[in-house]
Amino acid sequence: MAVSGRARALYQRIADNIRVQITDGTLAPGDRLPTEAEIASEWTTTRSTAVQGLKVLVNEGLIIADRPRGYFVRSRKPMVYRPQAEFRKRPLSPEMDQFLTQMSEEGREASQHIEVKVETPSRQIRERLQLPEGELAVVRRRVRFIDGIPYNTNDSHFPLSVVQSSEIMNPDDIARGANVVMSELGYEQVRALDEFHVRMPTPEEADRLQLGPGTPVAVHLCTGYTVDGRPVRAVVNVLPGDRHVITYERSRPQLEAALTVRQAISADLRTVIDLWEHAASWLSERGIDQWQYPPREDRIKANIEAGECWIIEADGAPVATITIDEHADSDFWSSAEAAEPALYVHRMVVRRDAAGLDLGSAMLDWAGRQALSQGKQLLRLDAWRSNEGLQRYYADRGFTHIRTVEADDRSSGALFQRPADYARGTGPTLETAPSNNRH
């Protein structure tokens, strides 16, 4: 049934049936479809209705009409298009440009047709290159072929004033790449802005790429900038949808080599509360009842004023907090234990987007060093009794479980300690900033 609730027309149901067979692999790329007469007979309809259904699939780009041989499932052998590969290091003396090299590595026969023109740029290009009205641009127009089929177009535009009399003006392969030539001219590109638009092709694009009906294109607009922010290259890549898979690699940004640990000041109260609430929300989402109550602002404020609360920063942004003090909670620790030289860890929180880097381990090692600097021999903490995962975390980091205390109205009480001089030695480096005593 159609979305409207009305039955779909017969030609649409014919198209639906064949589409399913193509999608599930019953009809493989290159397979010949039943003839128009055979389809009409199977569905007890007219040949014109069968043709109407087949035209739907032609317009969707799923099949091609090759008269008088018939209709065939379109064969697809897409090129993997990797925009991020542009700035990768290349051989010092490459024999082929990047496109030809990639296709050679994939065992495919590649070629390209290049022409160079000086022209008045379109408004789109003029705006991206920030050219004044009337200034000319150089465009290197390329049609790239794979196994004899035009796969995409690559039109690179440059300010004429920048590339005049350079290799870029010649309609030949530039084996080391136009970007290298631009660097040699003093216009090294250090960043690029990528834009993607998906639409149906213009008549000119369809002609250059020999596109059949129903083939959309992705248009990749790439603008390259120098270190001072000047745009010096604008590229328009037209990628037929049936011939490309666009892939991007993304890496999680790493924390800087050394993070800064500084004493929290009064202005950090909101930051510490936000980190705490962020962690409490994450715990709740996982069915863990730890910290499911409003943060005790008075205690946090007192820890800040006493210089016991610390903020860990990366690139100037807070990513974690930890509180260390000499207070042995009398609900948990005995008077004899309280008399022992120990430093106690409280309220250790790592922001979730900084998790997975073992920052917590580095913070505990840092706390151990702080304990040693104060003449303490032990690093202690009390963990949430029902959070077994957290308890395993501490045990994996050299802590010994002393005992579990069930105090009235307290959900914490799993007591752990380790020697202050123990260090796991993992996670980022933490450097302590000088105290400014601004509380």
Side-chain angles (χ1 to χ4, degrees):
M1 297 288 287
V3 175
S4 64
R6 296 191 299 270
R8 289 172 64 79
L10 181 56
Y11 80 90
Q12 293 174 319
R13 285 185 279 137
I14 291 172
D16 293 343
N17 179 265
I18 297 174
R19 187 187 300 107
V20 168
Q21 294 181 63
I22 294 173
T23 302
D24 67 15
T26 302
L27 288 171
D31 281 358
R32 182 178 179 276
L33 271 63
T35 65
E36 297 165 356
E38 290 169 339
I39 293 173
S41 175
E42 178 186 353
W43 289 83
T44 316
T45 187
T46 63
R47 184 167 176 172
S48 63
T49 300
V51 170
Q52 196 175 5
L54 291 167
K55 282 184 177 178
V56 170
L57 300 173
V58 170
N59 289 333
E60 291 178 1
L62 291 175
I63 66 174
I64 58 174
D66 186 9
R67 296 185 180 277
R69 297 175 59 231
Y71 296 88
F72 296 83
V73 179
R74 174 173 281 182
S75 295
R76 301 174 186 270
K77 191 177 180 183
M79 168 187 169
V80 177
Y81 181 77
R82 302 180 178 91
Q84 73 278 3
E86 178 180 10
F87 291 137
R88 287 180 179 167
K89 294 186 181 299
R90 306 186 61 217
L92 293 175
S93 302
E95 297 177 357
M96 297 181 290
D97 77 0
Q98 186 172 339
F99 164 68
L100 298 177
T101 299
Q102 177 185 340
M103 293 303 101
S104 176
E105 290 173 349
E106 295 179 9
R108 306 177 74 174
E109 183 179 343
S111 62
Q112 52 191 345
H113 173 73
I114 304 174
E115 61 179 12
V116 178
K117 291 183 178 180
V118 176
E119 64 180 22
T120 300
S122 67
R123 178 181 176 182
Q124 180 186 62
I125 298 301
R126 188 175 69 250
E127 289 177 350
R128 280 161 178 76
L129 290 177
Q130 299 177 13
L131 297 177
E133 190 80 35
E135 185 168 337
L136 298 177
V138 173
V139 55
R140 287 176 59 87
R141 298 189 185 277
R142 293 193 287 182
V143 180
R144 294 162 161 172
F145 296 81
I146 301 176
D147 302 326
I149 299 172
Y151 255 62
N152 61 53
T153 60
N154 169 267
D155 298 343
S156 300
H157 303 77
F158 308 86
L160 176 61
S161 59
V162 169
V163 301
Q164 196 165 22
S165 302
S166 72
E167 286 179 73
I168 288 174
M169 301 293 294
N170 300 325
D172 300 313
D173 291 344
I174 302 176
R176 67 190 189 284
N179 286 347
V180 175
V181 175
M182 292 295 287
S183 296
E184 294 169 352
L185 294 172
Y187 299 96
E188 180 182 9
Q189 295 157 77
V190 298
R191 67 181 180 91
L193 174 64
D194 295 298
E195 307 168 65
F196 282 91
H197 306 263
V198 179
R199 55 172 171 76
M200 298 307 292
T202 65
E204 179 191 5
E205 292 164 348
D207 182 62
R208 288 180 78 187
L209 290 164
Q210 300 175 20
L211 299 179
T215 305
V217 295
V219 181
H220 174 206
L221 300 174
C222 176
T223 307
Y225 295 84
T226 61
V227 69
D228 59 0
R230 178 180 178 181
V232 293
R233 179 181 60 106
V235 184
V236 181
N237 299 287
V238 180
L239 316 169
D242 63 335
R243 304 173 195 176
H244 293 82
V245 173
I246 300 173
T247 65
Y248 264 95
E249 297 173 8
R250 296 184 296 160
S251 299
R252 177 178 177 174
Q254 296 298 305
L255 296 178
E256 57 188 17
L259 278 63
T260 301
V261 186
R262 63 169 179 81
Q263 278 185 316
I265 59 175
S266 56
D268 291 315
L269 176 62
R270 186 68 251 174
T271 296
V272 176
I273 291 172
D274 286 346
L275 287 167
W276 191 94
E277 290 179 336
H278 178 69
S281 176
W282 182 84
L283 290 165
S284 176
E285 290 171 0
R286 282 148 186 80
I288 301 172
D289 65 354
Q290 181 174 343
W291 291 354
Q292 302 308 302
Y293 52 81
R296 297 184 172 94
E297 295 190 25
D298 54 339
R299 294 187 184 181
I300 297 173
K301 186 176 181 181
N303 289 139
I304 291 175
E305 291 175 348
E308 298 163 344
C309 182
W310 298 77
I311 302 289
I312 293 82
E313 293 182 336
D315 296 321
V319 294
T321 183
I322 188 172
T323 295
I324 51 175
D325 62 24
E326 299 179 347
H327 175 64
D329 193 322
S330 59
D331 283 346
F332 302 138
W333 303 95
S334 68
S335 57
E337 289 169 329
E340 295 172 341
L343 205 61
Y344 296 82
V345 174
H346 312 277
R347 213 180 297 114
M348 188 175 85
V349 179
V350 176
R351 209 169 72 184
R352 296 315 304 168
D353 57 1
L357 303 172
D358 216 7
L359 176 54
S361 291
M363 292 166 66
L364 292 169
D365 287 355
W366 173 87
R369 293 193 297 273
Q370 294 298 305
L372 289 173
S373 70
Q374 298 177 32
K376 312 296 185 184
Q377 298 175 5
L378 296 169
L379 188 66
R380 286 175 170 167
L381 56 88
D382 57 90
W384 206 261
R385 294 198 309 269
S386 60
N387 193 340
E388 295 180 358
L390 181 62
Q391 295 177 38
R392 287 193 298 271
Y393 176 87
Y394 289 128
D396 289 343
R397 282 151 183 80
F399 283 86
T400 299
H401 178 231
I402 304 302
R403 64 184 177 278
T404 296
V405 178
E406 295 190 13
D408 292 340
D409 299 321
R410 302 292 297 273
S411 295
S412 193
L415 308 186
F416 289 83
Q417 71 179 26
R418 79 181 191 190
D421 60 0
Y422 176 95
R424 183 180 173 89
T426 59
T429 301
L430 303 183
E431 296 181 350
T432 307
S435 175
N436 53 24
N437 294 316
R438 290 187 292 114
H439 301 298

